[in-house]
Amino acid sequence: MSELTVSLPTDPGLREALGDEPGVRFVTWDLDGPAPADRLDIVVPPYWGGNRQLAQLAGVETRLVQWQSIGYNGVTKHLPQGVPLANATTVHETSTAELALALTLAAQRGIPEFVRDGTEHRWDLRSFPSLADRRVLLIGYGGVSKAIEARLAGFEVEITRLARTSREETNLAGDRVAVHGFAELHERLAEAEIVIAAVPLTDETRGLLDAAALAAMPDGALLVNVARGPVVDTEALVAELQSGRLRAALDVTDPEPLPADHPLWDCPGLLITAHVGGDSSAMLPRMVALIRRQIAHLRAGEAPENVVVGEWPSA
C-alpha cells in the first residue's frame, strides 16, 4: 500500500501527540504559502485560521480536508469544488457541553455578581434562582445538545428539545425522547425559563432568535448561546438586556470578536466568554484520535467519518 501524506498545522502539540504512524508521512502546512506536496491525502487546517485559508488548496490534489471544528458554515465559499471536508464531530461536544452547563449555573446562581463583590471585598448576601426545577429548552438536538442534556440529568430540570424537524430520537442515556420542530419555536420559548442554543449556523438558523422570538421568552428567562453568534439577533438581544427583562450567557457573539466599544459589554444580566466552548484540554487527544481513525479508514480503503461537504467517492 502506498504511503499516505498528511498535512498538519503548526498547532502546539498536534504533531507530537500523533507520533509516528506506519506508512504515513506527516508534513507541516498552515495553508499560508505553497503546499508541501502536489498530492495530500489528508489536510488538517489550523483551528483558528478561518475559512479563507481553504482557497490555498486550489491546484493541490487533496483527498480529504479534516476540519478541526464541528461548525463548517461558510467553507464552501473557499473550498475548491470536489474536495470532501469532514468536520470534527466527536471532538468538541464534551467541552462545549461543560461550558454550557457552567454558563447556566454561573448565571443562575449569581457567580458574576459575587466575583465583582470579591474584587471590592464586599460581603453582600443575596438570593439567586436555582437550576433545579427550571424548565430548560434545548434548541438543536445534535451531539452538543445531547451532551448538554446528559450533564443536566442530575440537576432535576424539565427538558424540552427543539430542532429543525419534529421527531423521536435516542438520547445518550438510551431513552427515546420527543423533539419538537422549529414550527413550534415561539410556543416552546414561551414555556422555557432557560434556553440553551446549540444549533449549527445555516440559512435557516441565522437570526432564528430574533426580536419576536426573544419577546416570546418569559420575563427573567436566561438565554445561553454556545452555537454561533448570528443565531441570535444582537440588536434585539441588547434591547431585551438593557430593559432588564431577559438575561444571557454567551460564548459566541455577532460580531466576533466583540469590539471593545460594543453595547453588549455594558448590558446588565450578561455573562460573556470568548468562544472557548470546544477549546479545552480535551480537544487535543480527541482530535488526535479522530485523525488516527481517518488515517486508518483511508489505509483500509474505507470512507472517512464525518464528511459534511462534498462526497467521498464510492469504491
Side-chain angles (χ1 to χ4, degrees):
M1 180 178 294
S2 61
E3 182 181 64
L4 296 182
T5 302
V6 177
S7 164
L8 299 174
T10 54
D11 294 355
L14 187 58
R15 175 66 188 92
E16 293 80 3
L18 277 163
D20 293 326
E21 290 280 338
V24 178
R25 179 171 70 101
F26 291 110
V27 295
T28 300
W29 188 30
D30 282 330
L31 278 73
D32 57 356
D38 294 333
R39 183 182 187 278
L40 297 168
D41 293 284
I42 301 176
V43 173
V44 182
Y47 183 44
W48 290 113
N51 297 332
R52 293 182 181 275
Q53 63 187 328
L54 295 173
Q56 294 293 325
L57 294 172
V60 181
E61 185 181 350
T62 305
R63 293 182 67 194
L64 177 70
V65 174
Q66 177 56 66
W67 204 232
Q68 291 199 68
S69 297
I70 296 177
Y72 55 94
N73 50 288
V75 301
T76 55
K77 294 179 182 178
H78 307 285
L79 184 70
Q81 189 173 5
V83 177
L85 180 142
N87 74 349
T89 295
T90 72
V91 173
H92 299 285
E93 289 87 343
T94 294
S95 295
T96 305
E98 285 178 351
L99 184 66
L101 183 57
L103 289 172
T104 303
L105 281 168
Q108 285 296 100
R109 298 306 305 269
I111 300 303
E113 288 85 348
F114 287 123
V115 168
R116 285 191 285 270
D117 289 347
T119 62
E120 299 177 9
H121 300 189
R122 181 176 64 244
W123 183 278
D124 187 1
L125 178 60
R126 292 170 276 175
S127 179
F128 287 90
S130 66
L131 176 54
D133 304 327
R134 302 281 75 82
R135 298 184 300 275
V136 178
L137 175 65
L138 299 177
I139 299 183
Y141 200 62
V144 172
S145 283
K146 288 182 179 181
I148 294 170
E149 178 184 38
R151 282 151 184 78
L152 286 171
F155 285 91
E156 302 178 30
V157 298
E158 178 185 328
I159 296 177
T160 301
R161 305 152 197 88
L162 184 135
R164 185 172 61 86
T165 57
S166 60
R167 58 186 185 271
E168 276 200 353
E169 282 245 12
T170 301
N171 64 16
L172 295 185
D175 300 321
R176 296 292 288 173
V177 296
V179 180
H180 301 273
F182 280 169
E184 300 179 43
L185 175 64
H186 288 199
E187 177 184 353
R188 299 304 167 186
L189 285 171
E191 300 169 346
E193 296 166 288
I194 298 171
V195 175
I196 303 177
V199 289
L201 180 60
T202 65
D203 290 342
E204 191 172 11
T205 63
R206 186 179 296 274
L208 181 69
L209 295 173
D210 58 11
L214 296 175
M217 294 172 62
D219 292 353
L222 171 68
L223 170 64
V224 179
N225 189 7
V226 293
R228 288 291 186 269
V231 169
V232 178
D233 182 325
T234 300
E235 185 176 346
L237 179 60
V238 167
E240 290 283 11
L241 294 172
Q242 288 178 340
S243 75
R245 201 185 72 80
L246 296 181
R247 300 171 295 128
L250 310 175
D251 184 47
V252 290
T253 60
D254 181 26
E256 191 175 300
L258 193 63
D261 60 351
H262 197 283
L264 258 180
W265 287 115
D266 296 316
C267 286
L270 176 64
L271 172 59
I272 296 176
T273 55
H275 201 155
V276 297
D279 193 3
S280 77
S281 60
M283 177 182 171
L284 179 60
R286 291 164 189 256
M287 194 68 218
V288 167
L290 176 57
I291 293 171
R292 284 177 175 159
R293 292 199 305 274
Q294 302 291 48
I295 289 170
H297 289 315
L298 266 60
R299 289 188 62 80
E302 301 168 348
E305 303 173 24
N306 306 340
V307 173
V308 290
V309 177
E311 295 183 1
W312 188 255
S314 57

